[in-house]
Amino acid sequence: GQQVMQIPQYQHVQEGEDFTTYCNSSTTLSNIQWYKQRPGGHPVFLIQLVKSGEVKKQKRLTFQFGEAKKNSSLHITATQTTDVGTYFCAFRAGAQKLVFGQGTRLTINP
Amino acid sequence: SQTIHQWPATLVQPVGSPLSLECTVEGTSNPNLYWYRQAAGRGLQLLFYSVGIGQISSEVPQNLSASRPQDRQFILSSKKLLLSDSGFYLCAWSAGTYEQYFGPGTRLTVT
């Protein structure tokens, strides 16, 4: 079935460095959602993108949806220790379901 | 505001024993409800979802089953647990086709 590939699988950065995770699909997506899961916690919804080329910002986080609606990225500027966790992208497959990527696990050296 | 509850938080069960995990949502009506399983360090695997009372869609054939006896109650069950059933079980709800909100999860260890 339809899937998305997230890269990288793991990323370790020094506090203050930037971080980017990518979500790629071979087919056009109707929308893309991003979630964050802190270690030991549950996924928390961050944002949804629906328009081609859409860019949204939440403080130090910048989310982008590609022009062809086949890829998306999440960029964190100047990481902080509170950014530690796994970031998942997800897309709507059918009327009621979400399909999640495998996630990018971010660890930060303080 | 809406809240989602899951219990128990952790569970250790022997192989072959039954399982019942419960999820309830407050503050909304007719939510879509979902059960996911997450293996350690892995992504989210959708197990079941429900768009209404008594309506269950199964995504992965296995020894688990789900039921929705009430509008805001979703139950995950098994008659006989396998070692491979160990994992982090997450319940989630959504209002139609929008974002999903997850419960705190149940960590199941099958020994």
Side-chain angles (χ1 to χ4, degrees):
Chain A
Q2 205 176 8
Q3 292 184 350
V4 287
M5 181 75 67
Q6 266 190 269
I7 52 172
Q9 216 175 341
Y10 304 96
Q11 183 79 59
H12 181 75
V13 301
Q14 290 289 126
E15 187 175 14
E17 291 182 340
D18 292 357
F19 159 77
T20 305
T21 174
Y22 301 90
C23 184
N24 300 314
S25 169
S26 58
T27 58
T28 302
L29 304 172
S30 60
N31 76 354
I32 197 87
Q33 297 180 9
W34 286 93
Y35 292 76
K36 176 184 177 181
Q37 184 176 23
R38 294 181 185 270
H42 57 277
V44 174
F45 173 77
L46 295 176
I47 209 157
Q48 174 171 272
L49 306 170
V50 296
K51 298 177 183 176
S52 168
E54 189 170 13
V55 178
K56 287 188 177 180
K57 293 191 176 184
Q58 289 179 350
K59 298 182 180 178
R60 294 178 294 103
L61 277 60
T62 302
F63 303 85
Q64 200 160 2
F65 202 7
E67 293 289 343
K69 300 181 76 173
K70 289 185 177 181
N71 52 70
S72 180
S73 64
L74 159 58
H75 179 83
I76 301 178
T77 303
T79 55
Q80 299 174 0
T81 54
T82 53
D83 296 324
V84 163
T86 301
Y87 293 85
F88 293 97
C89 66
F91 67 93
R92 197 160 67 229
Q96 310 298 344
K97 301 188 308 182
L98 287 180
V99 174
F100 284 81
Q102 287 299 302
T104 296
R105 185 174 170 188
L106 173 64
T107 55
I108 296 174
N109 210 21
Chain B
S1 64
Q2 301 87 7
T3 54
I4 179 169
H5 304 279
Q6 275 188 256
W7 62 91
T10 59
L11 193 58
V12 180
Q13 293 282 101
V15 169
S17 65
L19 173 74
S20 181
L21 302 180
E22 189 164 343
C23 169
T24 59
V25 181
E26 296 177 357
T28 186
S29 297
N30 196 32
N32 292 338
L33 296 171
Y34 304 85
W35 278 112
Y36 291 89
R37 178 170 60 202
Q38 185 176 36
R42 304 293 297 277
L44 298 164
Q45 179 188 33
L46 179 62
L47 302 175
F48 301 93
Y49 69 95
S50 171
V51 299
I53 296 174
Q55 301 179 59
I56 308 294
S57 296
S58 173
E59 289 296 299
V60 182
Q62 58 207 332
N63 69 322
L64 297 173
S65 63
S67 62
R68 185 170 177 173
Q70 299 180 43
D71 182 44
R72 290 169 288 178
Q73 184 185 29
F74 206 21
I75 298 172
L76 183 69
S77 304
S78 173
K79 292 182 179 178
K80 289 185 177 182
L81 284 169
L82 306 173
L83 284 174
S84 57
D85 291 325
S86 292
F88 190 36
Y89 287 81
L90 290 154
C91 180
W93 74 273
S94 74
T97 58
Y98 302 105
E99 64 268 22
Q100 293 186 6
Y101 297 94
F102 288 81
T106 295
R107 295 198 182 278
L108 172 66
T109 303
V110 182
T111 59

